[in-house]
Amino acid sequence: MYYVISIGSNIQPEQHVAAAVSTLTKIFGSIYLYQRVYTQAELVESNHVFINSVLVLRSELPATQLKAELCRVEELLGRDRSDPRRSVKDRSCDLDIIWYQQCWSEVWQTELTESYIQQVFYPASKQAPIQLGCQLFSERPAAIYFQAEASDKFIIDQKPDALINWLEAGFFCN
């Protein structure tokens, strides 16, 4: 199953988004991360700026088990999931399944209308850099792989057409 997941943070967002991405690559082995952008808070009682992005991962877990794993990552990064007001408060990490499908396509991009999601795909959005290990990346989508044996992360950040072709040939074609 291919899962499309929104990722957001407005408490030390550069650090928390990077930590969430790193944790998810350790759990799932590889993810495809769209550009990271700064956005204003929506439906949240805050003046802090968010970093939002969208990522895709492949997993055999059912959606309910994947959501439980995402909640565990949120808690690991400091989110209090027991707080009844957590949906309207600042957050160190917010991970939500926003779409899933058996076969890969990007049809979901036209179906999701939330402003913070659409800003990820809007070329004029303000880019938000994040750093994984020694590598800083911000402007383009990236395929991120985690090699558990060596504890290394590999970030493949190429020209957009080459990256998409590579992903379709590898990550998305099974």
Side-chain angles (χ1 to χ4, degrees):
M1 186 73 65
Y2 294 98
Y3 290 96
V4 180
I5 298 173
S6 66
I7 181 171
S9 172
N10 73 337
I11 298 173
Q12 299 176 316
E14 290 84 358
Q15 292 81 12
H16 285 118
V17 168
V21 167
S22 180
T23 302
L24 291 171
T25 58
K26 287 177 184 175
I27 296 168
F28 296 100
S30 62
I31 63 172
Y32 182 70
L33 182 67
Y34 288 86
Q35 73 177 348
R36 285 72 46 209
V37 298
Y38 289 106
T39 63
Q40 294 301 312
E42 295 179 21
L43 306 174
V44 175
E45 298 167 359
S46 178
N47 292 324
H48 295 112
V49 174
F50 273 81
I51 289 179
N52 280 296
S53 188
V54 173
L55 63 91
V56 177
L57 60 84
R58 188 169 176 201
S59 175
E60 298 304 317
L61 292 175
T64 54
Q65 287 181 346
L66 178 61
K67 180 58 182 170
E69 190 67 21
L70 297 177
C71 290
R72 189 185 67 76
V73 172
E74 290 177 350
E75 290 172 344
L76 178 71
L77 295 174
R79 188 153 188 208
D80 181 1
R81 302 259 338 140
S82 66
D83 185 343
R85 294 185 34 85
R86 71 183 175 277
S87 66
V88 295
K89 294 173 99 176
D90 292 326
R91 71 267 332 245
S92 55
C93 184
D94 187 14
L95 298 166
D96 293 307
I97 299 169
I98 56 176
W99 193 269
Y100 58 93
Q101 56 199 19
Q102 193 66 35
C103 297
W104 178 250
S105 79
E106 290 187 316
V107 67
W108 56 270
Q109 284 187 17
T110 59
E111 299 291 325
L112 300 171
T113 58
E114 294 87 348
S115 171
Y116 68 95
I117 301 274
Q118 289 303 311
Q119 288 178 62
V120 169
F121 304 105
Y122 185 60
S125 293
K126 184 176 180 190
Q127 304 289 317
I130 65 169
Q131 186 166 337
L132 292 176
C134 297
Q135 192 162 7
L136 179 71
F137 65 108
S138 64
E139 294 180 6
R140 295 179 293 210
I144 304 170
Y145 291 91
F146 181 77
Q147 184 179 357
E149 310 84 55
S151 296
D152 291 328
K153 292 176 200 71
F154 298 95
I155 300 172
I156 311 299
D157 191 351
Q158 304 173 8
K159 294 178 182 173
D161 289 342
L163 180 62
I164 289 169
N165 291 339
W166 179 80
L167 286 170
E168 288 175 349
F171 181 63
F172 293 139
C173 286
N174 285 323

